[in-house]
Amino acid sequence: MAVVYYDKFAGKFLAGVGCNLYQIESTQSKHLVKCGEVSTTDQADSKSKVEGSAFVGGIASSQQSVVVINNNKVVEVFQRDFQKATASTVAIKRPTSVQVTASKVLISDKSGDAYSYDFDLTNQKYLLGHVSVIMDMVITADNKLLVTCDRDEKVRVSHFPNCYNVETYLLHHTEYVLRVLLLSETLLLSLGGDNQMVLWNLHNATPLQTVSLETGHYTAAAFTSPFLITSSSRAVKSDHVTLTKDHVTSTQGHVTVYKLTDTTLTQVSELPLPHEIISCAASSCELLVLTCEPNLLVFDLVDGVLSNQRTVEGDHDFKDLVLPVRPDSTKVSRTAGFAEYFERKKKRIEEESLKEEVKSLQVKT
């Protein structure tokens, strides 16, 4: 598993592959340097401890720090020199996504819960819970709404930090929701395992536009105003052979660029690639793509058109570390039959609320 990320505060691309963090010093010189390493052991649960198997699962940045999550439940905060983690904690379950505000680190996990921490990774606070795995989340620029999506077709919009106060649910997808992105203060984009991309009005929960893939499935997306870049995976068949599971010879990636005008996405360009795309990130003028080959590729992005492809070189070994991870839609859990689960959730929320009330009374007295 691997991920690429554009750190807008530093103006540089980051790549997390295996347990290593890399930074692209200059995309023009196509040079990648190792800048850090995440913890490789699970300190919380010896049953799931697998030495050397840690991989970076997500990256988020603030003006001063970079936060990294990995599959061994470890959450770490690095300063920009990446010499050593300044704070570290072990999540309750494996983290699935990470977001940051000016003062908080937000983590979602595979059990469907989300938590917040201070930047020193203390003062953990339960935020919300889904019935199934939270696939992704994003917080609005004003830090007032937290959007989460899950394997159970749902996109939830909650008030932050009091996430028990649900603003709305965005219900349109028929399979897992892979990704959510904010395109503006009022526009949200969701990508689903049903091969649909939906543009939403976040304030009134209305779907404004739906784009469906005729073949393949979405794998990643990035936004750099006014351009949305999506990647999809498409099966390639041999000539003169009917496309069936037995006759698929390979999978290739496909990059599509859309331009956002008011509340409409219009396709500007597209580019096929010989290998499936794992992750992508975009700056105002460049696109970084990580493929299954594996390779790190950089493209110039000018007026919505990708050009000048170049491979990022450096001291790295991506072999056997880059694997696509997607939910099996046949195993997606549904809400039916989860009465006991909901009861536990309700009890936990009540206990959290009671603790907050006790703290408030103690402060007043």
Side-chain angles (χ1 to χ4, degrees):
M1 180 59 179
V3 62
V4 293
Y5 176 82
Y6 179 67
D7 183 355
K8 64 180 181 181
F9 297 102
K12 294 180 179 180
F13 286 103
L14 297 173
V17 183
C19 64
N20 297 318
L21 290 171
Y22 298 94
Q23 185 170 259
I24 299 179
E25 293 293 345
S26 170
T27 53
Q28 294 303 319
S29 64
K30 302 177 292 185
H31 188 60
L32 187 75
V33 296
K34 182 178 177 180
C35 59
E37 186 173 330
V38 301
S39 298
T40 57
T41 60
D42 180 350
Q43 306 168 35
D45 186 355
S46 60
K47 291 182 180 180
S48 60
K49 176 177 176 180
V50 183
E51 295 285 351
S53 69
F55 58 71
V56 175
I59 303 172
S61 65
S62 66
Q63 288 187 338
Q64 302 296 328
S65 306
V66 176
V67 183
V68 180
I69 57 174
N70 71 33
N71 69 313
N72 277 351
K73 303 182 186 178
V74 180
V75 183
E76 294 176 293
V77 177
F78 292 87
Q79 295 297 320
R80 298 232 169 251
D81 59 8
F82 291 97
Q83 293 301 308
K84 185 179 179 181
T86 59
S88 177
T89 191
V90 178
I92 298 173
K93 295 291 184 178
R94 178 176 59 83
T96 56
S97 65
V98 56
Q99 288 281 297
V100 297
T101 69
S103 60
K104 296 291 183 180
V105 175
L106 313 181
I107 302 295
S108 66
D109 66 28
K110 71 173 187 177
S111 68
D113 294 330
Y115 298 86
S116 69
Y117 300 84
D118 293 338
F119 251 93
D120 60 359
L121 298 181
T122 61
N123 192 26
Q124 182 193 70
K125 181 181 178 181
Y126 174 79
L127 294 176
L128 59 84
H130 283 240
V131 172
S132 56
V133 177
I134 295 178
M135 302 295 295
D136 195 19
M137 66 178 176
V138 64
I139 191 165
T140 55
D142 59 8
N143 296 336
K144 291 184 178 181
L145 295 175
L146 179 64
V147 183
T148 49
C149 63
D150 64 23
R151 287 183 63 173
D152 201 18
E153 310 165 2
K154 295 188 301 297
V155 178
R156 168 176 165 165
V157 183
S158 309
H159 289 269
F160 181 83
N162 300 320
C163 295
Y164 54 79
N165 186 0
V166 179
E167 173 70 12
T168 188
Y169 285 95
L170 307 180
L171 304 177
H172 181 89
H173 292 283
T174 58
E175 295 292 346
Y176 64 87
V177 184
L178 176 71
R179 190 91 162 85
V180 284
L181 297 92
L182 282 168
L183 308 191
S184 72
E185 293 181 0
T186 58
L187 297 179
L188 178 82
L189 186 90
S190 60
L191 296 177
D194 53 4
N195 302 334
Q196 293 193 48
M197 176 174 72
V198 184
L199 182 65
W200 300 88
N201 182 317
L202 189 58
H203 286 180
N204 61 21
T206 302
L208 302 173
Q209 182 181 359
T210 300
V211 178
S212 300
L213 287 177
E214 294 182 0
T215 59
H217 52 261
Y218 289 110
T219 58
F223 181 70
T224 175
S225 184
F227 298 109
L228 170 71
I229 301 99
T230 66
S231 65
S232 59
S233 176
R234 302 184 182 183
V236 181
K237 63 178 180 178
S238 302
D239 292 339
H240 312 299
V241 177
T242 303
L243 185 59
T244 66
K245 289 184 178 180
D246 296 332
H247 294 122
V248 174
T249 58
S250 63
T251 303
Q252 70 173 200
H254 201 89
V255 180
T256 307
V257 182
Y258 300 86
K259 184 175 182 180
L260 177 65
T261 306
D262 295 328
T263 59
T264 304
L265 290 167
T266 305
Q267 183 175 322
V268 177
S269 63
E270 58 182 346
L271 180 69
L273 294 176
H275 298 280
E276 185 173 357
I277 298 166
I278 301 297
S279 181
C280 66
S283 68
S284 60
C285 59
E286 291 177 315
L287 176 70
L288 178 66
V289 170
L290 177 63
T291 70
C292 268
E293 191 176 10
N295 256 335
L296 270 174
L297 306 176
V298 176
F299 300 85
D300 289 340
L301 177 62
V302 180
D303 295 328
V305 178
L306 298 171
S307 62
N308 190 23
Q309 175 183 325
R310 48 206 185 274
T311 302
V312 181
E313 307 292 345
D315 183 17
H316 57 75
D317 182 9
F318 290 170
K319 187 178 180 181
D320 298 328
L321 294 177
V322 180
L323 295 171
V325 177
R326 286 186 299 275
D328 183 348
S329 60
T330 62
K331 298 180 181 180
V332 174
S333 58
R334 307 299 181 199
T335 56
F338 279 83
E340 182 181 350
Y341 180 89
F342 278 123
E343 188 62 32
R344 292 199 308 269
K345 287 275 187 178
K346 181 180 178 181
K347 183 177 179 180
R348 182 170 58 185
I349 292 172
E350 290 174 349
E351 290 174 350
E352 292 288 339
S353 298
L354 181 59
K355 289 180 182 178
E356 291 297 323
E357 290 177 7
V358 172
K359 286 183 181 179
S360 178
L361 290 173
Q362 290 174 343
V363 170
K364 289 180 180 180
T365 56

